[in-house]
Amino acid sequence: MVKKQTAGRDNLGDFAPKFAELNDDVLFGEVWSREDKMSAHDRSLITVSSLLTQGVPQLEAHMKIAKQNGVTKDEMVELITHLAFYTGWPKAWSAFTLAKEIYGD
């Protein structure tokens, strides 16, 4: 079961309440919770892959979520290594730095 997400409301609730609602209730509350269609583990692999290719700061939070969703260190290392050839070596290096912090040396 996916943990209830409150990041939208916590960070943007007063400033952008509709965006916060969509983030927490639709993206995480409805889409991520459809584990009968796709596991949170697999959604995490897809999400981390997408964020890594874009080089955006949300990668760190989603890599932590991926670990909570059962993505192993070996799976994360393989994902980053594979994507290095498609998204660029510098992005892979940055992702490995995060992975080492999150998964340990």
Side-chain angles (χ1 to χ4, degrees), residues 8-92:
R9 285 184 177 87
D10 293 347
N11 293 296
L12 295 172
D14 293 334
F15 187 76
K18 186 61 177 180
F19 183 87
E21 174 191 340
L22 293 168
N23 182 82
D24 295 351
D25 299 344
V26 177
L27 175 58
F28 286 97
E30 293 179 25
V31 177
W32 272 83
S33 67
R34 294 169 32 140
E35 292 192 46
D36 60 321
K37 306 291 183 200
M38 181 183 291
S39 70
H41 173 275
D42 291 350
R43 287 182 195 278
S44 282
L45 288 173
I46 292 165
T47 302
V48 167
S49 296
S50 176
L51 296 173
L52 190 158
T53 63
Q54 296 174 69
V56 296
Q58 291 84 356
L59 176 61
E60 181 177 2
H62 277 280
M63 200 177 282
K64 289 176 182 175
I65 292 169
K67 184 177 179 184
Q68 292 170 356
N69 287 337
V71 175
T72 67
K73 174 188 157 260
D74 290 342
E75 289 173 315
M76 188 61 66
V77 167
E78 191 62 25
L79 179 147
I80 297 167
T81 301
H82 185 81
L83 286 176
F85 290 93
Y86 295 93
T87 194
W89 220 247
K91 287 181 181 173

Side-chain angles (χ1 to χ4, degrees), residues 90-105:
K91 287 181 181 173
W93 270 101
S94 295
F96 274 126
T97 299
L98 284 175
K100 281 181 67 177
E101 291 173 12
I102 293 165
Y103 285 89
D105 291 322

